[in-house]
C-alpha cells in the first residue's frame, strides 16, 4: 500500500466547476504539502501545513484552498476551475529534518 | 529567498557514459539541497540530500552529488549510465533547520542512448 495516497489519479473537469483533490498518508508525518507541476517549470508550492491547526500559503495559492481534516488528511480545492489550472498535482509529507515524501500525483485537466 | 537553476532541460548520454546534471542554487541562509527523480507516470523519489557535514553525498542507484558552497552548485553525477536511468531529475533547495518548503528547479530530462 502506498504511504501517501492521492485521489483521484486522473480527473477531467469543466471550466467553472468546483473540484477537490484528496491526500491521505500512513507515514505518521505532521507536515503536508501540495505542489503543482507544469512542464518546464518544475514543481511549485501551493499550500503547506505543519499540523492540523496550521495552514500556510505557498508560492501560487491564488485560486486554491485547502483543508487539513486530520493529521493524515490534506485536501486541495479549486473553487472554480480554469484551464490554466491544468497540471499534475502532488501531495507530499515530512517531519522536520527529513526530505518530503511524494505521492503518485493527480493529473487534472480543465476543459 | 531561495532559487534553483538547472542547466539544460534535456541531457542525452550513451549507455555506460558519465552522467552529469548541473544544479546551481541561490540561498540567503545555509541550504539543504536535494535531488529527486521522476520516472514516467510516477511521483518524485528522493535520490539524495545534503544537509550538513560531508559535502560529497552518495545516493541511491549509484548517484552522488557534491555541495560546493563557493560555486553555489550541487551537481549530480553517475559514473556509468544505465538505460534504467532515463527519467526527469529535479534539484531542490530549502532553508536549513526549518520546514521542508522546497523550491525546485525546472527539471532535466535524461535520455540514455543504447
Amino acid at each position: 500500500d502506498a504511504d501517501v495516497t492521492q485521489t483521484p489519479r486522473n480527473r477531467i473537469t469543466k471550466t467553472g466547476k468546483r473540484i477537490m483533490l484528496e491526500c491521505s498518508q500512513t507515514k505518521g508525518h505532521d507536515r503536508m504539502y501540495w505542489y503543482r507541476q507544469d512542464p518546464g517549470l518544475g514543481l511549485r508550492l501551493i499550500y503547506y501545513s505543519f499540523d492540523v491547526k496550521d495552514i500556510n500559503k505557498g508560492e501560487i495559492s491564488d485560486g486554491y484552498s485547502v483543508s487539513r481534516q486530520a493529521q493524515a488528511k490534506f485536501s486541495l480545492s479549486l473553487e472554480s476551475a480554469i484551464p490554466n489550472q491544468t497540471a499534475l498535482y502532488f501531495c507530499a509529507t515530512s517531519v522536520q529534518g527529513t526530505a518530503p515524501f511524494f505521492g503518485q500525483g493527480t493529473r487534472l485537466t480543465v476543459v | 529567498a531561495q532559487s534553483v537553476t538547472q542547466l539544460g532541460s534535456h541531457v542525452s548520454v550513451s549507455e555506460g557514459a558519465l552522467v552529469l546534471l548541473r544544479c546551481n542554487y541561490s540561498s540567503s541562509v545555509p541550504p539543504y539541497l536535494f535531488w529527486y527523480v521522476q520516472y514516467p507516470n510516477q511521483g518524485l523519489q528522493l535520490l539524495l540530500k545534503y544537509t550538513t557535514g560531508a559535502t560529497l553525498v552518495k545516493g541511491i542507484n549509484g548517484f552522488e552529488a557534491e555541495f560546493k558552497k563557493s560555486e553555489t552548485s550541487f551537481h549530480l553525477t553517475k559514473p556509468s549510465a544505465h538505460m534504467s536511468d532515463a527519467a526527469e531529475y529535479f534539484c531542490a533547495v530549502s532553508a536549513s533547520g526549518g520546514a521542508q518548503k522546497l523550491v525546485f528547479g525546472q527539471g532535466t530530462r535524461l535520455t540514455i542512448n543504447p
Side-chain angles (χ1 to χ4, degrees):
Chain A
D1 289 340
D3 293 317
V4 179
T5 302
Q6 293 185 231
T7 55
R9 292 293 312 278
N10 290 281
R11 180 72 182 267
I12 300 174
T13 192
K14 293 183 178 180
T15 298
K17 293 292 187 181
R18 183 180 189 274
I19 183 170
M20 178 182 290
L21 309 183
E22 299 187 348
C23 177
S24 63
Q25 54 119 342
T26 59
K27 296 186 76 65
H29 290 172
D30 55 351
R31 303 179 178 197
M32 298 187 74
Y33 312 80
W34 276 104
Y35 284 89
R36 166 179 172 160
Q37 182 182 7
D38 297 278
L41 296 179
L43 284 78
R44 293 176 292 168
L45 183 63
I46 307 172
Y47 271 94
Y48 62 101
S49 169
F50 292 173
D51 62 40
V52 175
K53 296 183 179 180
D54 176 79
I55 301 289
N56 303 279
K57 292 182 177 181
E59 179 187 353
I60 54 164
S61 59
D62 287 349
Y64 301 95
S65 62
V66 291
S67 173
R68 186 83 183 263
Q69 303 95 323
Q71 187 188 41
K73 296 183 182 294
F74 193 37
S75 301
L76 176 72
S77 293
L78 287 67
E79 297 301 325
S80 179
I82 57 176
N84 75 2
Q85 291 178 313
T86 293
L88 189 54
Y89 290 85
F90 285 103
C91 175
T93 71
S94 74
V95 295
Q96 186 171 0
T98 67
F101 182 93
F102 284 79
Q104 295 295 295
T106 294
R107 186 169 299 280
L108 176 66
T109 303
V110 183
V111 297
Chain B
Q2 286 117 352
S3 66
V4 173
T5 300
Q6 291 183 237
L7 301 177
S9 58
H10 290 88
V11 171
S12 181
V13 302
S14 298
E15 190 174 19
L18 171 71
V19 175
L20 171 60
L21 304 183
R22 299 178 186 273
C23 172
N24 288 92
Y25 70 92
S26 173
S27 179
S28 57
V29 298
Y32 284 1
L33 294 158
F34 308 81
W35 276 100
Y36 283 86
V37 60
Q38 184 181 31
Y39 298 104
N41 300 314
Q42 294 190 25
L44 277 71
Q45 179 182 4
L46 181 69
L47 274 178
L48 49 78
K49 68 176 181 180
Y50 168 80
T51 55
T52 59
T55 57
L56 182 62
V57 180
K58 295 187 183 299
I60 62 171
N61 301 337
F63 284 94
E64 63 182 33
E66 185 171 12
F67 170 60
K68 292 188 176 181
K69 183 178 180 181
S70 62
E71 298 177 9
T72 60
S73 69
F74 191 57
H75 301 332
L76 181 70
T77 61
K78 182 175 180 177
S80 178
H82 191 274
M83 295 300 291
S84 61
D85 295 327
E88 189 153 22
Y89 292 79
F90 293 94
C91 181
V93 65
S94 73
S96 63
Q100 288 75 40
K101 296 187 300 174
L102 301 188
V103 174
F104 284 84
Q106 81 276 21
T108 297
R109 183 165 300 280
L110 176 64
T111 301
I112 311 298
N113 301 312

